[in-house]
Amino acid sequence: MSVVYSPMSLRDARFIVAEHGLDALREIVLARAADNHDNAVIQTNAKALPTAESGPLHGIAFGVKDNIDVAGYMTTGACPGLAENLANANAPAVAALRSAGGYVPVKLNMHELAFGITSNNPAFGAVRNPFDPNRSAGGSSGGSGAAVARGVVPFALGSDTGGSSRIPAAFCSIVGFRPSTGRYREGGALMLSPTRDTIGPMTVNCADLAEIDGIITGEHALPALPERPLRLGVLWDKRGLSQSVDHAIASALGRLALSGEIDLVPISASEFEDIDARIGGPVVFNEAFEFWTAFCVNRLGKTLAEFTSTIASPDVRMIFERLPSFAAETREAFLYAHNGGLASLRDTYEQLLRSQQLDALIMPTVPVQPPLIGEDERMQTDAGLVSTFHTVTSHAVLATLTGAPSISIPAGLDRDGLPVALMIEGSRHGDRALLAIACKVEALLAQ
């Protein structure tokens, strides 16, 4: 019988190392990874050890999504066609964490090639939600979310193109971060879109996230918050998709308002509607087509069509089959995005923060409960059947196009015992200020 474990914070992991030694933590991680009933783990290295003799993460194990390079592991993207894609070097974020004393005993499952948000992977198994195994852990970094929530590792790296670190964090009741685009050094990952892609850490709490971000970037201090209530703009269109989620989110926002330390400012922003269809999709289709065409030839010695035949997931295989036509059909919108459309959107976003004198925006990370396993195309909601991908990503997509930092933090459980989460977004390149705000909101929600 599988055992349900509790999340393990950095403090917990350090206590184990201090009291029982490095081997004790590694044995715990490997034992929990072996009890892989949620299909979170797809590669394990029982011989993994710290390469640095000291550092703030000395002896601390962490997990890495399997589209991110870790030297000595295959970077498979959870795709059978990349089973022999050996990484010879660490991605920059992995290198920074390993230099701080951390090590990687596990690589983690995901929606194949990061092109989806359910992590229903036929090759390695559907990543199951720790709160309900009949439901998705989210994606595309589903394995990272489930592994942290289940206490396999104290933190993990995911990636985020359309919400892929924040969505599984929301569904698994942990903290997920999308840093400002470009904040973390690029390279060492299977890409979809250089415009939208970034590595995104996932942790048990905001303090751990602030520490991990500091190690990756070298920016360790958190700025002091203003000596006044924080002004958070509430960007939330209650569409009645889930009464259970709506009620839980309203309750969480109500607690923040009653604290006296948060001023909630209802806002509307029609200019952000349909941005994924107008800008986001065209950017991904064109940039993914360019990256994967070159990758297949230069790395695999194959054509894109030959590689596509190795993809196990029907939804992902369909996207790759149609990538050439998708890119051609959206080329004009893609050029518009890069010739001023994205810049205009980012200016509009920053102007909203300034004109309303907002410290940040706040909204539900996801407006629905986690989809049931198998609800990859359409999911049942209180408003009827809806598109799974577009519904789940509807709030998370904004930051991927504005380039702003975004954090998902747990906001309790709904009446069905499923996690709900609030997402906080700040000014572009104001990551450490946003982290300080998130720590404050997290503390208020815990009261």
Side-chain angles (χ1 to χ4, degrees), residues 57-123:
L57 295 178
H58 183 58
I60 304 299
F62 65 100
V64 178
K65 183 179 181 180
D66 210 21
N67 63 339
I68 301 169
D69 286 348
V70 179
Y73 280 96
M74 304 298 173
T75 304
T76 74
C79 175
L82 295 176
E84 302 301 322
N85 183 37
L86 178 66
N88 295 314
N90 296 304
V94 175
L97 296 166
R98 294 186 73 176
S99 294
Y103 68 102
V104 183
V106 291
K107 294 292 292 292
L108 302 169
N109 202 357
M110 55 185 286
H111 203 109
E112 192 169 3
L113 302 175
F115 246 127
I117 50 82
T118 65
S119 296
N120 187 9
N121 190 308

Side-chain angles (χ1 to χ4, degrees), residues 116-446:
I117 50 82
T118 65
S119 296
N120 187 9
N121 190 308
F124 296 95
V127 185
R128 298 185 179 274
N129 192 293
F131 289 79
D132 181 348
N134 295 313
R135 294 181 180 271
S136 166
S140 61
S141 309
S144 299
V148 174
R150 197 162 58 83
V152 176
V153 284
F155 73 95
L157 296 181
S159 65
D160 193 307
T161 304
S164 290
S165 64
R166 294 160 292 151
I167 289 166
F171 285 163
C172 294
S173 197
I174 63 171
V175 177
F177 184 41
R178 179 191 169 85
S180 293
T181 308
R183 175 174 170 79
Y184 295 171
R185 282 179 54 202
E186 296 179 354
L190 301 174
M191 297 183 67
L192 294 181
S193 165
T195 297
R196 298 177 64 180
D197 285 355
T198 180
I199 284 176
M202 302 165 75
T203 62
V204 172
N205 56 52
C206 288
D208 286 0
L209 176 58
E211 180 175 352
I212 298 306
D213 176 78
I215 291 170
I216 294 172
T217 64
E219 298 179 31
H220 298 285
L222 289 181
L225 294 175
E227 295 182 2
R228 56 165 173 77
L230 295 171
R231 284 178 57 85
L232 302 183
V234 181
L235 190 59
W236 181 22
D237 176 18
K238 299 178 185 178
R239 291 174 287 161
L241 294 170
S242 171
Q243 295 180 23
S244 183
V245 171
D246 286 350
H247 182 269
I249 291 296
S251 176
L253 291 174
R255 297 201 305 276
L256 293 178
L258 289 173
S259 72
E261 299 185 56
I262 303 288
D263 286 341
L264 296 177
V265 183
I267 59 172
S268 61
S270 59
E271 56 268 57
F272 299 149
E273 294 178 2
D274 299 325
I275 55 172
D276 199 29
R278 290 189 290 110
I279 297 177
V283 167
V284 168
F285 291 142
N286 282 267
E287 293 184 344
F289 176 59
E290 180 180 353
F291 171 84
W292 280 102
T293 299
F295 181 89
C296 289
V297 172
N298 299 331
R299 181 76 175 182
L300 305 179
K302 296 181 177 181
T303 65
L304 179 64
E306 289 171 334
F307 171 68
T308 296
S309 68
T310 71
I311 297 173
S313 305
D315 59 330
V316 180
R317 187 167 59 250
M318 180 275 291
I319 292 172
F320 270 71
E321 287 171 348
R322 299 182 182 179
L323 262 185
S325 60
F326 284 164
E329 292 164 6
T330 60
R331 186 68 180 176
E332 185 176 345
F334 170 67
L335 293 175
Y336 162 77
H338 278 283
N339 291 332
L342 279 170
S344 177
L345 176 67
R346 290 165 179 169
D347 288 345
T348 299
Y349 174 82
E350 295 294 339
Q351 178 58 31
L352 172 65
L353 295 177
R354 288 192 300 268
S355 64
Q356 298 289 332
Q357 298 180 311
L358 300 174
D359 296 296
L361 299 182
I362 191 167
M363 66 197 83
T365 309
V366 185
V368 291
Q369 295 177 327
L372 293 168
I373 300 294
E375 288 188 322
D376 298 294
E377 294 186 15
R378 297 180 71 77
M379 64 181 295
Q380 186 66 51
T381 71
D382 291 343
L385 283 172
V386 297
S387 164
T388 303
F389 180 85
H390 293 294
T391 301
V392 171
T393 62
S394 58
H395 293 175
V397 69
L398 177 61
T400 75
L401 296 173
T402 63
S406 179
I407 301 174
S408 177
I409 63 174
L413 304 178
D414 69 7
R415 64 192 181 199
D416 296 321
L418 296 170
V420 295
L422 286 168
M423 187 164 60
I424 312 170
E425 302 186 350
S427 293
R428 195 176 186 198
H429 305 307
D431 297 60
R432 297 302 286 182
L434 185 67
L435 285 162
I437 291 171
C439 288
K440 177 71 171 180
V441 172
E442 178 187 59
L444 291 173
L445 290 173

Side-chain angles (χ1 to χ4, degrees), residues 18-33:
E19 293 294 315
H20 304 288
L22 300 180
D23 289 343
L25 179 61
R26 186 171 70 253
E27 289 172 4
I28 289 171
V29 170
L30 293 173
R32 294 183 179 184

